[in-house]
Structures are given as structure tokens and as C-alpha cells.
Amino acid sequence: MQATREQVLDALSEGPVAGPALADRLDVSRAAVWKHVEQLRAEGFEIDSGDGGYELVSVPEFGASAVAYGLEAPFEIEYHDSIDSTNRRARELATDGRSDVAVLADEQTGGRGRLDRAWASPSGGVWLSLALRPGVPIAHAPAFTLAAAVAVTRAAREAGVDARIKWPNDVVVGDDERKLAGVLTEVEGEADRVDWVVVGIGSNVNVDPAALPDEADATSVQDAVGPVDRRAFTQRLLEEFDALRRDLDAVVPAWRADATTLGKRVRVETPGGTVEGEAVDVSFPGALVVDTGEERVTITAGDCE
Ligand code: BTN
């Protein structure tokens, strides 16, 4: 969001304010204040203009300014009603040297999942990609995937959904482990230092599972508890992710606490073959440790059943 618009919103959050006073405070013209107020109205903010000046009446449920308003994490929000893929756009930004940008969309027309699968992204979801330049070794990048899974799980729980994480990055609900959210992390760089990381998080929030092609395996926040405020959901997700990325050592313990995989028998399809056994741990930065009965196998990539 543009800095002046953010300042206009900050001022409005304190109570009604007259246009000229606001212009003086922000050191801009009255016309500029009016333009920002009109832009905020166009984004869905309800702003009365009465005798007492401008008064903020309501904040929209979604959008760039809505998510930025009151957000306690230093992400710039770029919002799209519809885009092919937020990961594609975040890659573009990251390649251009941008960092800490959250690309957010209501709908994706070409969403991608792991293993180059299509990711259905109808209107009503929270389709989000973070462009980051964290300056960590490439081997630490999987920790960002786990951090994202923990962040979505916490946002879903805050919304009233009993969500858990299935290794490595699926957020699931219920005994039948229906998928609520997934994470697709993309990385570029050298072994000792990444150039950028894009963390793409797809959360089925206010989505009817019937709109998802694999509806038998998928669920949504709406399906579990009814429609929720996507602004609050997205803010919580961003704030949780921000705290975890600053303390990567906290990621694995947080992941363990929210996991459904540990202690269960699993069958993992890995690039090197199938591994079956009991999932006993996750080690930094995100490998699954499986006890096959004969040995402990550490798996860094695979599909887990
Ligand atoms: C998975 O296969 O489980 C990962 C799905 C990741 C989907 C998200 S939606 C936002 C971002 N943009 C994309 O195209 N993909 C990711």
C-alpha cells in the first residue's frame, strides 16, 4: 500500500479527522487527501464525511489496504482480484531484488502446486506468495515451508478449525485428513546463500469444496466453521510467519506441536523409492525421520500417506 494512504488510514483509525487537519498533519494537499480517501472507498472502506470530518466506519474483508490496516508484520501487500499465479508474480518481484512483499489474490487462474500439479484457486481463498531474500544457506530453505505450514495452521485454529500439519506441508482437518492448505516453496541461489525464496501458501478459506476438483480430499475453513473474515485470517498468517522466520530454530518445535504425522505409520514416496514405517521425528530444517523397524531413514522430499 502506498505510504500516504497508509498514513491516512492510521489517522482515521484514531477517530474522525477534518480534511484540512489531515492534510497539514501529513504535509500533503487537501486534494491529495481527498484522492486517497476516494481510493480507499473504491477498495471497500466505508468512510463518512460529515461535519466532524472523515470518519472510518468499516474496513473491507479483503484487499491490499484492508490486510495492511493494523497488520503487525513488515510486509508490503500487493493485491490482485485475479492473477494467474501469485508464486509467478512473487518470483518476478524477488528476481527484481524485492523482498518482504506479500502477493495476495482472491482468485488464481493458473495456480501451481507441488510436483507441478495444478492448484485449484477459486474466488474466496487466500492465495498468497511471499517474496523473501533471507540470506540463509540454501539448505535452510525448507524451514520456511514448515514455518508457513505452522502459520496457516495457527490462523485456521484462530478461525475455529482444528487444523494439523501432515508432513511436509499439508494442513489437514479431521481423521480423514482432508486438505485445507498447501505450501509451495521455490528457491534460487548458491549453496551458501539463497538469492531469494518464494513461499506460496494456498488456503481454502471461504471456498465451497464442491468448487475444488479433488473435493473428496479437500476441505475449507468455510466448510468447517462457515465463512470467516479473510482479513483477520491473512493477518494472523503473516504475523505468525514473520515471527517464525526471525527465529528459524523455533520452527521445528512449533511444527512438531501441530503435527498429525508423528507417531503414525506412514508410506512415503521419495525420489529414491518407497519408505514405510513409523514417523518418529522431524529434524531441522524439515526432514522426516521414519523408523522402518530395521533402520531410521531421514527423508528430505516425498509424498506422505
Ligand atoms: C501443494 O501442492 O500442496 C502446494 C500448493 C500451493 C498453492 C499456492 S496458492 C498461492 C501460490 N501460488 C501458486 O501458484 N501456488 C501457491
Side-chain angles (χ1 to χ4, degrees):
M1 182 170 49
Q2 203 177 331
T4 312
R5 198 165 307 147
E6 203 165 331
Q7 289 174 320
V8 169
L9 264 179
D10 280 349
L12 288 174
S13 71
E14 293 165 14
V17 56
L22 189 52
D24 282 353
R25 176 169 159 182
L26 304 185
D27 200 19
V28 296
S29 67
R30 291 178 198 184
V33 167
W34 179 81
K35 195 187 82 191
H36 287 297
V37 167
E38 283 306 301
Q39 185 57 46
L40 288 166
R41 285 178 172 146
E43 286 186 53
F45 286 81
E46 215 181 317
I47 301 169
D48 273 359
S49 39
D51 291 344
Y54 294 117
E55 184 176 3
L56 181 60
V57 178
S58 70
V59 178
E61 185 251 355
F62 213 38
S65 300
V67 171
Y69 178 67
L71 176 67
E72 289 180 12
F75 292 107
E76 182 188 326
I77 314 290
E78 179 182 295
Y79 174 77
H80 301 263
D81 283 330
S82 183
I83 192 172
D84 52 352
S85 159
T86 56
N87 259 40
R88 199 266 314 139
R89 173 63 184 146
R91 274 200 315 271
E92 198 171 79
L93 291 167
T95 309
D96 278 355
R98 304 277 302 279
S99 185
D100 287 13
V101 184
V103 183
L104 181 65
D106 175 52
E107 174 195 66
Q108 294 184 120
T109 53
R112 305 306 306 169
R114 288 174 65 228
L115 308 174
D116 210 27
R117 294 174 185 139
W119 178 262
S121 317
S123 172
V126 172
W127 319 122
L128 173 70
S129 298
L130 301 170
L132 309 169
R133 299 178 74 87
V136 298
I138 222 159
H140 290 188
F144 292 95
T145 306
L146 269 64
V150 172
V152 187
T153 302
R154 290 179 175 175
R157 289 184 169 208
E158 174 94 349
V161 184
D162 185 17
R164 304 234 148 237
I165 310 168
K166 181 173 157 193
W167 186 84
N169 59 11
D170 288 353
V171 177
V172 299
V173 181
D175 291 341
D176 51 354
E177 300 194 333
R178 293 231 221 164
K179 187 157 164 173
L180 184 86
V183 185
L184 174 66
T185 301
E186 300 180 71
V187 186
E188 182 146 306
E190 310 292 323
D192 57 342
R193 193 183 161 91
V194 299
D195 280 344
W196 52 256
V197 179
V198 165
V199 183
I201 309 164
S203 310
N204 302 329
V205 181
N206 293 339
V207 169
D208 181 351
L212 304 171
D214 49 355
E215 64 180 281
D217 298 330
T219 188
S220 67
V221 173
Q222 176 177 300
D223 197 37
V225 295
V228 296
D229 181 347
R230 283 185 296 169
R231 170 173 170 257
F233 181 96
T234 310
Q235 289 183 331
R236 182 70 195 266
L237 196 172
L238 290 171
E239 287 163 2
E240 292 288 352
F241 181 84
D242 183 49
L244 288 164
R245 72 167 167 162
R246 290 168 195 282
D247 183 11
L248 287 184
D249 288 341
V251 171
V252 168
W255 189 97
R256 283 191 192 111
D258 283 342
T260 180
T261 308
L262 300 183
K264 287 193 175 154
R265 281 206 70 77
V266 293
R267 180 186 156 90
V268 190
E269 303 295 341
T270 79
T274 304
V275 179
E276 280 190 69
E278 184 188 348
V280 288
D281 199 9
V282 163
S283 62
F284 187 86
L288 184 68
V289 183
V290 176
D291 186 342
T292 65
E294 285 160 15
E295 55 174 345
R296 285 193 165 202
V297 184
T298 300
I299 303 169
T300 52
D303 250 2
C304 180
E305 278 172 34

